[in-house]
Amino acid sequence: MAEVKKEFPQGFLWGGAVAANQLEGAYQEDGKGLSTADVSPDGIMYPTSEDPAKLNLYHDGIDFYHRYKEDLALFGELGFKCFRTSIAWTRIFPNGDDAEPNEAGLKFYDDLFDEMRKQGMEPVVTISHYEMPLNLVKKYGGWRSREVIGFYEKFARTVLERYNGKVKYWMTFNEINVVLHAPFTGGGLVFEEGENKLNIMYQAAHHQFVASALAVKASHEINPEAQIGCMIAAMTTYPLTPNPDDVFAALEQERKTLQFSDVQVRGYYPNYMKRYFVENDIEFKVTADDEKVMREHTVDYIGFSYYMSFIATTDEEKLKEATAANLMTGVKNPYLKSSEWGWQIDPKGLRTTLNILSDRYQKPLFIVENGLGAVDKVEEDGSIQDDYRIDYLRAHIEQMREAVADGVDLIGYTTWGPIDLVSASTAELKKRYGFVYVDRDNEGNGTLERTKKKSFAWYQRVIETNGQEL
Ligand code: BG6
């Protein structure tokens, strides 16, 4: 038997990923307005609070706003080929509906992208990652309002034009499927008593689909060379048993995620969604113009996050034994170990996910988030021996290499949080993902000093050898 080549393509985009609201801090500096994250001190899954007395770690983040040069120098040392971040909407349009953009905010990202390029990194930019302007929530009801499409389009056009030539890889919305799981963060949605929540969530999703298509249109007009993708939180789902009911339940559960990429990649609602809408009293306005723009402006690539896999079952008893997971709870998989936060670690599931997406869409794929959130211990000599993180990443990269050998067109890999930052689900700093440790704790104490962990040299070598030495 001849041997199959298992290697990453030349020019593979190795790097790391962050989001503005989880690390920049400076939440009221240089004209920035308040965003949904600024009033979510307990993270995206919990009720929001505007109580100024409540500690909100997003407010200061890890002070990346002032320290980005130092941090990018560390990523440069790691050998990053790219760096994924997002643009805080409220730095550019503080209220979302402002007539003119805020020059100070625009200038910050100019400097940031210039610095990335100086360090040899291709910027990969998410236009909106979990932080819409709070004013759009209060005044318009968030994404339930059609008017928000226009505000987003203006924001997207402004940044696409301004950073044309500096940014080649874009994504329209982070984890667009999150609107169904964390509606305030994903869609700026606050419900009234008795409202049909599902209906409102899909209405918001529809507005985001149209907005996303308009951003794709703008990007293609401004620079046909640039690549603009969608971004979903992959939730690959296995049936608990071979019972055909479980198998179909897994298919249906997985479609709750894939419906989002189906629309953005293919440009129309698949019939299984239309049936679901009819059976669940979901009705929202879709105009002929919406349909046209969605169909004509589909994404160039599929970005996705992958942390774990899920299980579906129709067995009520089993459903009661649910485990914690990113954005939703799920049935425990007896074959997998869990992280300290209950996320079930499944490297092989990443190969499966890559193959499913590749077979389904035949488009380039980009893993824009993956990693292990863990508690790190600082040893007496100041070192951090995070072998568990190395093990997690190694196992996932091995499976990526297999998927590439399967024929998947994978263009890059950015690990989540290459430097410790504030968690999205729980808004804490104790849950760390970085190769670089940041001295700051859940109470907001610490010097913010940066220290390299053991995984730093390991990932550096992975990049240096283009994923051959793991
Ligand atoms: C993804 C988000 O869902 O998971 C990130 O896009 C988030 O914003 C990441 O930080 C990890 O989740 P958490 O809750 O551990 O921060």
Side-chain angles (χ1 to χ4, degrees):
M1 196 167 58
E3 225 187 297
V4 173
K5 260 203 198 162
K6 292 183 190 168
E7 54 193 37
F8 291 98
Q10 284 309 311
F12 189 74
L13 291 167
W14 296 99
V18 299
N21 72 90
Q22 290 174 251
L23 90 168
E24 283 179 4
Y27 82 112
Q28 284 181 311
E29 241 167 271
D30 295 332
K32 182 185 170 296
L34 285 184
S35 75
T36 47
D38 295 324
V39 295
S40 303
D42 300 311
I44 65 170
M45 303 302 285
Y46 301 96
T48 58
S49 146
E50 288 188 55
D51 177 0
K54 184 136 204 230
L55 178 68
N56 182 331
L57 292 178
Y58 297 118
H59 288 175
D60 300 319
I62 57 159
D63 197 31
F64 182 77
Y65 191 76
H66 299 112
R67 297 170 193 242
Y68 70 87
K69 285 197 179 152
E70 181 195 337
D71 294 340
L72 291 178
L74 285 164
F75 303 149
E77 198 182 324
L78 270 163
F80 277 14
K81 310 287 182 217
C82 73
F83 180 63
R84 173 183 176 230
T85 190
S86 63
I87 297 176
W89 191 340
T90 48
R91 288 202 194 282
I92 313 302
F93 289 100
N95 302 295
D97 58 359
D98 317 71
E100 295 300 327
N102 170 31
E103 180 53 34
L106 287 167
K107 164 96 173 43
F108 170 69
Y109 292 103
D110 258 325
D111 296 346
L112 184 70
F113 300 147
D114 287 344
E115 191 67 22
M116 281 186 209
R117 293 212 156 273
K118 211 169 103 189
Q119 293 289 348
M121 290 166 232
E122 192 70 59
V124 177
V125 177
T126 320
I127 296 175
S128 175
H129 189 135
Y130 287 178
E131 37 64 350
M132 77 185 299
L134 191 59
N135 178 56
L136 295 185
V137 175
K138 294 193 165 169
K139 215 151 131 190
Y140 304 88
W143 281 97
R144 72 167 76 205
S145 160
R146 187 166 267 277
E147 272 180 278
V148 173
I149 300 175
F151 300 134
Y152 173 92
E153 189 193 3
K154 185 167 166 184
F155 165 49
R157 270 201 183 265
T158 303
V159 296
L160 287 161
E161 267 162 15
R162 174 81 172 217
Y163 308 120
N164 180 19
K166 286 187 189 181
V167 179
K168 203 173 132 202
Y169 293 92
W170 295 92
M171 273 167 278
T172 57
F173 287 93
N174 181 62
E175 297 188 335
I176 189 165
N177 47 321
V178 156
V179 70
L180 298 182
H181 309 286
F184 181 71
T185 296
L189 301 177
V190 181
F191 302 107
E192 307 260 317
E193 200 58 34
E195 278 190 318
N196 178 348
K197 290 188 186 173
L198 207 53
N199 195 112
I200 293 165
M201 290 192 280
Y202 275 102
Q203 180 179 24
H206 176 69
H207 294 152
Q208 292 189 338
F209 288 144
V210 177
S212 173
L214 287 166
V216 171
K217 179 173 186 276
S219 177
H220 288 165
E221 282 167 11
I222 294 164
N223 182 0
E225 298 291 305
Q227 301 286 304
I228 184 158
C230 59
M231 193 310 200
I232 54 166
M235 298 188 187
T236 299
T237 308
Y238 310 135
L240 183 64
T241 71
N243 178 339
D245 286 339
D246 278 0
V247 175
F248 200 76
L251 176 82
E252 284 197 306
Q253 190 171 309
E254 188 144 7
R255 277 176 166 172
K256 290 279 176 301
T257 301
L258 295 178
Q259 60 188 358
F260 287 86
S261 38
D262 281 356
V263 174
Q264 291 180 288
V265 175
R266 296 174 178 155
Y268 56 89
Y269 285 103
N271 199 68
Y272 69 83
M273 282 181 90
K274 292 184 185 159
R275 174 176 176 170
Y276 181 79
F277 294 160
V278 171
E279 289 177 344
N280 289 279
D281 293 327
I282 295 170
E283 256 189 285
F284 49 86
K285 190 168 157 197
V286 179
T287 68
D289 279 352
D290 292 351
E291 283 179 337
K292 187 169 182 294
V293 79
M294 283 159 67
R295 203 176 270 275
E296 288 179 358
H297 306 286
T298 55
V299 292
D300 301 318
Y301 69 92
I302 297 124
F304 69 96
S305 61
Y306 177 88
Y307 293 92
M308 74 200 87
S309 59
F310 295 82
I311 293 267
T313 179
T314 46
D315 182 336
E316 293 293 330
E317 284 308 304
K318 291 279 177 199
L319 279 172
K320 285 187 198 146
E321 302 161 17
T323 173
N326 189 10
L327 306 165
M328 53 195 269
T329 51
V331 178
K332 268 205 179 116
N333 186 329
Y335 298 97
L336 303 178
K337 291 204 180 98
S338 296
S339 78
E340 287 160 290
W341 272 263
W343 296 16
Q344 302 184 97
I345 301 169
D346 181 9
K348 188 84 180 245
L350 179 55
R351 179 177 177 188
T352 306
T353 306
L354 284 162
N355 274 281
I356 290 174
L357 293 174
S358 171
D359 290 351
R360 197 172 179 108
Y361 302 124
Q362 276 132 36
K363 288 254 178 202
L365 305 179
F366 198 159
I367 303 168
V368 293
E369 285 184 33
N370 173 241
L372 179 71
V375 178
D376 289 328
K377 182 167 172 261
V378 183
E379 304 293 339
E380 266 174 30
D381 64 358
S383 69
I384 296 134
Q385 305 295 323
D386 57 342
D387 294 275
Y388 36 88
R389 183 164 295 111
I390 296 174
D391 292 345
Y392 177 102
L393 295 171
R394 178 191 293 120
H396 284 78
I397 297 172
E398 268 166 8
Q399 293 301 322
M400 283 155 48
R401 211 160 54 185
E402 293 295 332
V404 170
D406 292 335
V408 171
D409 180 6
L410 182 62
I411 58 175
Y413 176 68
T414 54
T415 65
W416 178 251
I419 184 163
D420 296 341
L421 39 59
V422 185
S423 137
S425 56
T426 56
E428 56 187 340
L429 254 155
K430 196 169 123 197
K431 188 179 189 188
R432 297 172 181 275
Y433 285 87
F435 306 114
V436 176
Y437 184 89
V438 177
D439 180 26
R440 189 155 203 250
D441 64 18
N442 276 1
E443 283 67 52
N445 301 318
T447 61
L448 288 169
E449 195 193 331
R450 278 65 167 149
T451 312
K452 293 175 199 167
K453 304 180 195 175
K454 183 176 178 186
S455 56
F456 188 97
W458 175 81
Y459 194 48
Q460 191 178 44
R461 185 75 190 136
V462 171
I463 298 176
E464 218 168 70
T465 61
N466 199 26
Q468 282 312 303
E469 241 178 70
L470 298 175

